[in-house]
Amino acid sequence: MDATSRGATVELTEVVKNYGTGAPALDTLSLHARPGEFVALLGPSGCGKTTALRTVAGLEAVTSGSISIDGRDVTDQPTNKRDLGMVFQSYSLFPHLDAQANVEFGLRMRRVPAGERRERALGALEMVGLGGFGSRFAHQLSGGQQQRVALARALVTRPRVLLLDEPLSALDAKVRVQLREEIRRIQTELGITTLFVTHDQEEALAVADRVAVMRAGRIEQIGTPEALYTQPQTPFVAEFIGLSNRLPGTVRGGFVEVYGVELPLLDPTVAPGPVTVALRPEDVEIVSEGALAGVVVSTSFLGSLRRSTVRLPDDTLLAVQHAVGLRTAPGERVALRFTGACVSVKHEENP
Ligand code: ATP
């Protein structure tokens, strides 16, 4: 396998998909993926991630709107005219073919001569770390290995776009992390534009150049993992990305007051009045003394840090992230300080 593949732009313009069973699965969705970019589609179950991917794949016709690949309108083109590689959640290997024959399949369809087919298939298996596994059948491979073969099969035709629909979700945690790193490495090496559907926010943040957070058939926000985490534009994104405390607050005079502490507003246009404030666990500190105090309910060791849950006097539970060296115990009284950041605020009547 060589590194001559170059990614194409992928563009969805105001795509609507109506299955006729209720609200549209895609509701004027627009997305522009740049050549070589890795874009994760992230969102809760039923928000339309898989449908979006399937419309790009040509497996689902759009109700309206258009899809183009590399500037070419493919809205009405069949899948095999779209220059794509695809990997799905379920291991979709042909059980009666060995790994090499599975990888060769797409080349056989394209009538690539046997010698070149074999060479390219072996190269692709090598690339996904399965050199020497070519004669194994699916039942002789682990789940992670089967998904590697599926990836080799998707890449061997040198497509310009790679579509991945929850390819890791059937794997155990350790293999998931290994394989997602591997996918990212190969994708970067080949420069192939990739759309990756996942409902796992950690996975999306870890691998993507940009993450599109979807809700009810639309993209609520798209941005780099860091931008989404630090500057969520809506409360939905703030709560979907990362862990957030929800605290009562009051907006007044350009600030939001939370338990007597004034915090800056990320969005200065929020109207004055009572609000719910989202605050990251790392934006609360345990200090030796302070006006805000609570009682530790539980504490967990997370390897490189600890997270404690503290009950405030009004019974609100607050997650606090702190150094491993700072040990807390259930029942202990602690003072707290806000570091000064809050990620979003929302009015209750506007969920
Ligand atoms: P999940 O993470 O659970 O897979 P998703 O975000 O991928 O969810 P989709 O599978 O795209 O969501 O589904 C979006 C909406 O469209 C859902 O309300 C779903 O019930 C509906 N839907 C999906 N496929 C069909 C279909 N073939 N016929 C009718 N409705 C469908």
Side-chain angles (χ1 to χ4, degrees), residues 288-341:
S288 49
E289 54 184 57
L292 181 62
V295 176
V296 175
V297 177
S298 63
T299 180
S300 41
F301 173 70
L302 299 175
S304 56
L305 52 92
R306 281 182 207 275
R307 191 170 295 139
S308 297
T309 302
V310 177
R311 188 185 299 281
L312 300 177
D314 66 357
D315 271 350
T316 298
L317 293 176
L318 188 67
V320 185
Q321 198 162 295
H322 53 94
V324 175
L326 177 62
R327 289 168 190 276
T328 56
E332 188 181 337
R333 198 171 162 74
V334 290
L336 301 165
R337 190 180 85 83
F338 298 140
T339 62

Short mmCIF file of all heavy atoms in Angstrom, two decimals, residues 288-341:
data_model
loop_
_atom_site.label_atom_id
_atom_site.label_comp_id
_atom_site.label_asym_id
_atom_site.label_seq_id
_atom_site.Cartn_x
_atom_site.Cartn_y
_atom_site.Cartn_z
N SER A 288 -7.84 25.13 51.81
CA SER A 288 -7.80 24.94 53.26
C SER A 288 -8.90 25.72 53.98
O SER A 288 -9.44 25.26 54.98
CB SER A 288 -6.42 25.30 53.82
OG SER A 288 -6.04 26.55 53.32
N GLU A 289 -9.24 26.91 53.48
CA GLU A 289 -10.40 27.58 54.06
C GLU A 289 -11.08 28.46 53.02
O GLU A 289 -10.47 28.89 52.06
CB GLU A 289 -10.02 28.40 55.28
CG GLU A 289 -8.91 29.41 55.07
CD GLU A 289 -8.56 30.09 56.38
OE1 GLU A 289 -8.20 29.36 57.35
OE2 GLU A 289 -8.66 31.32 56.44
N GLY A 290 -12.37 28.68 53.23
CA GLY A 290 -13.14 29.48 52.27
C GLY A 290 -14.59 29.52 52.70
O GLY A 290 -15.02 28.74 53.56
N ALA A 291 -15.33 30.45 52.08
CA ALA A 291 -16.72 30.67 52.49
C ALA A 291 -17.63 29.51 52.08
O ALA A 291 -18.59 29.19 52.76
CB ALA A 291 -17.21 31.98 51.89
N LEU A 292 -17.30 28.88 50.95
CA LEU A 292 -18.15 27.79 50.46
C LEU A 292 -17.59 26.47 50.98
O LEU A 292 -16.43 26.14 50.74
CB LEU A 292 -18.17 27.80 48.93
CG LEU A 292 -19.05 26.74 48.27
CD1 LEU A 292 -20.52 26.91 48.66
CD2 LEU A 292 -18.90 26.79 46.75
N ALA A 293 -18.43 25.73 51.70
CA ALA A 293 -17.94 24.47 52.27
C ALA A 293 -18.95 23.37 52.00
O ALA A 293 -20.12 23.63 51.71
CB ALA A 293 -17.71 24.63 53.76
N GLY A 294 -18.49 22.13 52.07
CA GLY A 294 -19.38 20.99 51.86
C GLY A 294 -18.80 19.75 52.50
O GLY A 294 -17.71 19.79 53.08
N VAL A 295 -19.53 18.65 52.36
CA VAL A 295 -19.09 17.40 52.97
C VAL A 295 -18.83 16.38 51.85
O VAL A 295 -19.67 16.20 50.96
CB VAL A 295 -20.18 16.88 53.94
CG1 VAL A 295 -19.79 15.51 54.49
CG2 VAL A 295 -20.40 17.87 55.06
N VAL A 296 -17.68 15.72 51.92
CA VAL A 296 -17.32 14.73 50.90
C VAL A 296 -18.26 13.53 50.99
O VAL A 296 -18.47 12.97 52.07
CB VAL A 296 -15.85 14.28 51.08
CG1 VAL A 296 -15.51 13.16 50.09
CG2 VAL A 296 -14.90 15.46 50.91
N VAL A 297 -18.84 13.17 49.87
CA VAL A 297 -19.75 12.02 49.83
C VAL A 297 -18.99 10.78 49.36
O VAL A 297 -19.14 9.69 49.88
CB VAL A 297 -20.91 12.30 48.85
CG1 VAL A 297 -21.82 11.10 48.73
CG2 VAL A 297 -21.68 13.53 49.28
N SER A 298 -18.16 10.96 48.35
CA SER A 298 -17.38 9.82 47.84
C SER A 298 -16.15 10.36 47.14
O SER A 298 -16.09 11.54 46.77
CB SER A 298 -18.22 9.01 46.85
OG SER A 298 -18.53 9.81 45.74
N THR A 299 -15.19 9.48 46.96
CA THR A 299 -13.97 9.91 46.27
C THR A 299 -13.45 8.75 45.45
O THR A 299 -13.53 7.59 45.87
CB THR A 299 -12.92 10.45 47.28
OG1 THR A 299 -11.77 10.84 46.57
CG2 THR A 299 -12.59 9.43 48.35
N SER A 300 -12.99 9.02 44.24
CA SER A 300 -12.45 7.91 43.44
C SER A 300 -11.09 8.25 42.88
O SER A 300 -10.82 9.39 42.48
CB SER A 300 -13.43 7.51 42.34
OG SER A 300 -14.00 8.63 41.75
N PHE A 301 -10.26 7.23 42.87
CA PHE A 301 -8.90 7.33 42.36
C PHE A 301 -8.95 7.01 40.86
O PHE A 301 -9.41 5.95 40.47
CB PHE A 301 -8.03 6.31 43.10
CG PHE A 301 -6.65 6.18 42.55
CD1 PHE A 301 -5.72 7.20 42.69
CD2 PHE A 301 -6.25 5.02 41.88
CE1 PHE A 301 -4.44 7.08 42.18
CE2 PHE A 301 -4.97 4.90 41.36
CZ PHE A 301 -4.07 5.94 41.51
N LEU A 302 -8.49 7.94 40.03
CA LEU A 302 -8.60 7.73 38.58
C LEU A 302 -7.21 7.64 37.93
O LEU A 302 -7.04 8.01 36.78
CB LEU A 302 -9.40 8.87 37.95
CG LEU A 302 -10.83 9.03 38.45
CD1 LEU A 302 -11.49 10.25 37.85
CD2 LEU A 302 -11.67 7.80 38.13
N GLY A 303 -6.24 7.20 38.67
CA GLY A 303 -4.89 7.04 38.10
C GLY A 303 -4.08 8.31 38.25
O GLY A 303 -3.31 8.47 39.18
N SER A 304 -4.29 9.23 37.30
CA SER A 304 -3.48 10.45 37.34
C SER A 304 -4.17 11.56 38.14
O SER A 304 -3.59 12.63 38.33
CB SER A 304 -3.23 10.93 35.92
OG SER A 304 -4.46 11.11 35.26
N LEU A 305 -5.37 11.32 38.59
CA LEU A 305 -6.06 12.34 39.40
C LEU A 305 -7.13 11.66 40.26
O LEU A 305 -7.40 10.48 40.11
CB LEU A 305 -6.70 13.40 38.48
CG LEU A 305 -7.60 12.88 37.37
CD1 LEU A 305 -9.05 12.80 37.80
CD2 LEU A 305 -7.49 13.78 36.16
N ARG A 306 -7.69 12.46 41.18
CA ARG A 306 -8.82 11.96 41.97
C ARG A 306 -10.04 12.81 41.69
O ARG A 306 -9.90 14.00 41.36
CB ARG A 306 -8.53 12.09 43.47
CG ARG A 306 -7.64 11.03 44.02
CD ARG A 306 -7.48 11.23 45.53
NE ARG A 306 -6.22 10.67 45.95
CZ ARG A 306 -6.04 9.38 46.26
NH1 ARG A 306 -7.06 8.54 46.23
NH2 ARG A 306 -4.85 8.96 46.62
N ARG A 307 -11.20 12.22 41.82
CA ARG A 307 -12.43 13.00 41.71
C ARG A 307 -13.27 12.75 42.97
O ARG A 307 -13.50 11.59 43.32
CB ARG A 307 -13.21 12.60 40.45
CG ARG A 307 -14.34 13.58 40.18
CD ARG A 307 -14.97 13.36 38.81
NE ARG A 307 -14.05 13.63 37.71
CZ ARG A 307 -13.95 12.89 36.63
NH1 ARG A 307 -14.69 11.83 36.49
NH2 ARG A 307 -13.10 13.21 35.68
N SER A 308 -13.65 13.82 43.64
CA SER A 308 -14.48 13.69 44.84
C SER A 308 -15.83 14.32 44.58
O SER A 308 -15.94 15.31 43.86
CB SER A 308 -13.82 14.40 46.03
OG SER A 308 -12.58 13.80 46.34
N THR A 309 -16.85 13.74 45.18
CA THR A 309 -18.19 14.34 45.11
C THR A 309 -18.47 14.98 46.47
O THR A 309 -18.31 14.33 47.51
CB THR A 309 -19.25 13.28 44.80
OG1 THR A 309 -18.89 12.68 43.55
CG2 THR A 309 -20.63 13.89 44.68
N VAL A 310 -18.83 16.25 46.43
CA VAL A 310 -19.03 17.01 47.66
C VAL A 310 -20.48 17.48 47.72
O VAL A 310 -21.01 18.00 46.73
CB VAL A 310 -18.08 18.24 47.68
CG1 VAL A 310 -18.31 19.09 48.93
CG2 VAL A 310 -16.62 17.79 47.60
N ARG A 311 -21.12 17.27 48.91
CA ARG A 311 -22.50 17.74 49.07
C ARG A 311 -22.48 19.14 49.67
O ARG A 311 -21.89 19.36 50.74
CB ARG A 311 -23.29 16.78 49.99
CG ARG A 311 -24.79 17.11 50.04
CD ARG A 311 -25.54 16.24 51.05
NE ARG A 311 -25.45 14.82 50.75
CZ ARG A 311 -26.18 14.19 49.83
NH1 ARG A 311 -27.06 14.87 49.13
NH2 ARG A 311 -26.04 12.90 49.64
N LEU A 312 -23.13 20.08 48.97
CA LEU A 312 -23.18 21.46 49.46
C LEU A 312 -24.34 21.60 50.45
O LEU A 312 -25.22 20.73 50.51
CB LEU A 312 -23.35 22.42 48.28
CG LEU A 312 -22.22 22.36 47.25
CD1 LEU A 312 -22.50 23.29 46.06
CD2 LEU A 312 -20.88 22.72 47.88
N PRO A 313 -24.37 22.71 51.23
CA PRO A 313 -25.43 22.87 52.24
C PRO A 313 -26.85 22.78 51.65
O PRO A 313 -27.77 22.34 52.33
CB PRO A 313 -25.16 24.27 52.79
CG PRO A 313 -23.71 24.49 52.56
CD PRO A 313 -23.37 23.77 51.31
N ASP A 314 -27.03 23.17 50.38
CA ASP A 314 -28.39 23.07 49.80
C ASP A 314 -28.63 21.71 49.14
O ASP A 314 -29.55 21.54 48.35
CB ASP A 314 -28.60 24.19 48.78
CG ASP A 314 -27.69 24.04 47.56
OD1 ASP A 314 -26.86 23.10 47.53
OD2 ASP A 314 -27.80 24.85 46.61
N ASP A 315 -27.75 20.72 49.47
CA ASP A 315 -27.87 19.34 48.98
C ASP A 315 -27.42 19.15 47.53
O ASP A 315 -27.49 18.05 47.00
CB ASP A 315 -29.31 18.80 49.11
CG ASP A 315 -29.51 18.15 50.47
OD1 ASP A 315 -28.49 17.96 51.18
OD2 ASP A 315 -30.66 17.85 50.81
N THR A 316 -26.96 20.21 46.87
CA THR A 316 -26.42 20.05 45.52
C THR A 316 -25.13 19.22 45.61
O THR A 316 -24.31 19.43 46.50
CB THR A 316 -26.10 21.42 44.91
OG1 THR A 316 -27.31 22.15 44.81
CG2 THR A 316 -25.47 21.30 43.53
N LEU A 317 -24.97 18.28 44.65
CA LEU A 317 -23.73 17.49 44.62
C LEU A 317 -22.79 18.10 43.60
O LEU A 317 -23.19 18.44 42.48
CB LEU A 317 -24.05 16.04 44.24
CG LEU A 317 -24.86 15.26 45.27
CD1 LEU A 317 -25.20 13.87 44.74
CD2 LEU A 317 -24.12 15.14 46.61
N LEU A 318 -21.54 18.23 44.00
CA LEU A 318 -20.55 18.90 43.16
C LEU A 318 -19.37 17.96 42.94
O LEU A 318 -18.78 17.45 43.90
CB LEU A 318 -20.09 20.15 43.92
CG LEU A 318 -19.18 21.14 43.21
CD1 LEU A 318 -19.95 21.80 42.08
CD2 LEU A 318 -18.72 22.20 44.20
N ALA A 319 -19.03 17.70 41.67
CA ALA A 319 -17.85 16.88 41.37
C ALA A 319 -16.63 17.80 41.34
O ALA A 319 -16.67 18.85 40.69
CB ALA A 319 -18.02 16.17 40.04
N VAL A 320 -15.58 17.39 42.03
CA VAL A 320 -14.36 18.20 42.11
C VAL A 320 -13.20 17.32 41.69
O VAL A 320 -13.04 16.20 42.18
CB VAL A 320 -14.10 18.67 43.58
CG1 VAL A 320 -12.91 19.60 43.63
CG2 VAL A 320 -15.33 19.32 44.16
N GLN A 321 -12.39 17.82 40.78
CA GLN A 321 -11.22 17.05 40.34
C GLN A 321 -9.99 17.60 41.05
O GLN A 321 -9.83 18.81 41.12
CB GLN A 321 -11.09 17.25 38.85
CG GLN A 321 -10.24 16.24 38.17
CD GLN A 321 -10.54 16.28 36.68
OE1 GLN A 321 -11.65 15.97 36.26
NE2 GLN A 321 -9.57 16.68 35.91
N HIS A 322 -9.16 16.72 41.58
CA HIS A 322 -7.99 17.25 42.29
C HIS A 322 -6.81 16.30 42.20
O HIS A 322 -6.93 15.17 41.70
CB HIS A 322 -8.34 17.57 43.75
CG HIS A 322 -8.98 16.43 44.50
ND1 HIS A 322 -8.26 15.56 45.25
CD2 HIS A 322 -10.28 16.04 44.58
CE1 HIS A 322 -9.09 14.67 45.80
NE2 HIS A 322 -10.32 14.95 45.40
N ALA A 323 -5.67 16.78 42.70
CA ALA A 323 -4.43 16.00 42.60
C ALA A 323 -4.54 14.71 43.41
O ALA A 323 -5.26 14.66 44.41
CB ALA A 323 -3.26 16.83 43.11
N VAL A 324 -3.81 13.69 42.94
CA VAL A 324 -3.84 12.39 43.61
C VAL A 324 -3.32 12.53 45.05
O VAL A 324 -3.79 11.86 45.98
CB VAL A 324 -2.97 11.38 42.82
CG1 VAL A 324 -2.87 10.06 43.53
CG2 VAL A 324 -3.57 11.18 41.43
N GLY A 325 -2.35 13.45 45.24
CA GLY A 325 -1.75 13.63 46.56
C GLY A 325 -2.73 14.17 47.60
O GLY A 325 -2.51 14.03 48.80
N LEU A 326 -3.81 14.79 47.14
CA LEU A 326 -4.80 15.34 48.07
C LEU A 326 -5.85 14.27 48.32
O LEU A 326 -6.68 13.97 47.46
CB LEU A 326 -5.44 16.59 47.45
CG LEU A 326 -6.55 17.25 48.25
CD1 LEU A 326 -6.03 17.75 49.61
CD2 LEU A 326 -7.14 18.42 47.47
N ARG A 327 -5.78 13.66 49.52
CA ARG A 327 -6.71 12.57 49.82
C ARG A 327 -7.92 13.12 50.57
O ARG A 327 -7.77 13.89 51.49
CB ARG A 327 -6.03 11.52 50.71
CG ARG A 327 -4.99 10.73 49.96
CD ARG A 327 -4.14 9.93 50.92
NE ARG A 327 -3.00 9.37 50.22
CZ ARG A 327 -3.05 8.22 49.54
NH1 ARG A 327 -4.16 7.52 49.49
NH2 ARG A 327 -1.99 7.79 48.89
N THR A 328 -9.09 12.69 50.16
CA THR A 328 -10.29 13.08 50.89
C THR A 328 -11.01 11.80 51.31
O THR A 328 -10.79 10.74 50.72
CB THR A 328 -11.25 13.90 49.99
OG1 THR A 328 -11.55 13.12 48.85
CG2 THR A 328 -10.64 15.22 49.59
N ALA A 329 -11.83 11.91 52.35
CA ALA A 329 -12.56 10.73 52.81
C ALA A 329 -14.03 11.09 52.99
O ALA A 329 -14.35 12.22 53.34
CB ALA A 329 -11.97 10.25 54.14
N PRO A 330 -14.92 10.13 52.72
CA PRO A 330 -16.34 10.40 52.91
C PRO A 330 -16.62 10.92 54.32
O PRO A 330 -16.05 10.42 55.30
CB PRO A 330 -16.99 9.02 52.69
CG PRO A 330 -16.03 8.30 51.80
CD PRO A 330 -14.67 8.78 52.20
N GLY A 331 -17.45 11.94 54.43
CA GLY A 331 -17.77 12.53 55.73
C GLY A 331 -16.90 13.72 56.08
O GLY A 331 -17.25 14.52 56.95
N GLU A 332 -15.78 13.87 55.37
CA GLU A 332 -14.87 14.98 55.66
C GLU A 332 -15.46 16.31 55.18
O GLU A 332 -16.08 16.38 54.12
CB GLU A 332 -13.55 14.71 54.91
CG GLU A 332 -12.44 15.65 55.25
CD GLU A 332 -11.18 15.32 54.42
OE1 GLU A 332 -11.05 14.16 53.96
OE2 GLU A 332 -10.36 16.23 54.25
N ARG A 333 -15.24 17.35 56.00
CA ARG A 333 -15.73 18.68 55.62
C ARG A 333 -14.61 19.40 54.86
O ARG A 333 -13.47 19.41 55.32
CB ARG A 333 -16.07 19.45 56.90
CG ARG A 333 -16.96 20.61 56.67
CD ARG A 333 -17.45 21.21 57.99
NE ARG A 333 -17.94 22.56 57.74
CZ ARG A 333 -19.08 22.82 57.13
NH1 ARG A 333 -19.86 21.84 56.74
NH2 ARG A 333 -19.46 24.07 56.91
N VAL A 334 -14.93 19.95 53.69
CA VAL A 334 -13.89 20.64 52.89
C VAL A 334 -14.39 22.02 52.45
O VAL A 334 -15.60 22.23 52.30
CB VAL A 334 -13.49 19.82 51.63
CG1 VAL A 334 -12.72 18.57 51.98
CG2 VAL A 334 -14.71 19.48 50.78
N ALA A 335 -13.44 22.93 52.27
CA ALA A 335 -13.77 24.24 51.71
C ALA A 335 -13.49 24.21 50.21
O ALA A 335 -12.59 23.47 49.75
CB ALA A 335 -12.93 25.31 52.39
N LEU A 336 -14.24 24.98 49.47
CA LEU A 336 -14.13 24.94 48.00
C LEU A 336 -13.92 26.33 47.44
O LEU A 336 -14.36 27.32 48.02
CB LEU A 336 -15.42 24.36 47.40
CG LEU A 336 -15.79 22.97 47.86
CD1 LEU A 336 -17.23 22.67 47.49
CD2 LEU A 336 -14.87 21.93 47.22
N ARG A 337 -13.26 26.35 46.29
CA ARG A 337 -13.07 27.62 45.60
C ARG A 337 -13.30 27.40 44.11
O ARG A 337 -12.88 26.37 43.57
CB ARG A 337 -11.62 28.08 45.82
CG ARG A 337 -11.32 29.50 45.38
CD ARG A 337 -9.86 29.84 45.66
NE ARG A 337 -9.01 29.39 44.56
CZ ARG A 337 -8.80 30.07 43.44
NH1 ARG A 337 -9.35 31.25 43.27
NH2 ARG A 337 -8.04 29.60 42.48
N PHE A 338 -13.96 28.34 43.46
CA PHE A 338 -14.11 28.25 42.00
C PHE A 338 -12.90 28.93 41.37
O PHE A 338 -12.52 30.01 41.80
CB PHE A 338 -15.39 28.93 41.54
CG PHE A 338 -16.64 28.31 42.11
CD1 PHE A 338 -17.70 29.09 42.53
CD2 PHE A 338 -16.75 26.93 42.22
CE1 PHE A 338 -18.84 28.51 43.05
CE2 PHE A 338 -17.89 26.34 42.75
CZ PHE A 338 -18.94 27.14 43.17
N THR A 339 -12.33 28.29 40.35
CA THR A 339 -11.13 28.87 39.75
C THR A 339 -11.45 30.06 38.84
O THR A 339 -10.56 30.76 38.39
CB THR A 339 -10.35 27.83 38.91
OG1 THR A 339 -11.21 27.41 37.86
CG2 THR A 339 -9.91 26.65 39.74
N GLY A 340 -12.73 30.26 38.54
CA GLY A 340 -13.07 31.46 37.77
C GLY A 340 -13.64 31.20 36.41
O GLY A 340 -13.99 32.12 35.70
N ALA A 341 -13.73 29.93 36.01
CA ALA A 341 -14.29 29.65 34.69
C ALA A 341 -15.64 28.96 34.86
O ALA A 341 -15.85 28.21 35.80
CB ALA A 341 -13.34 28.73 33.93
#
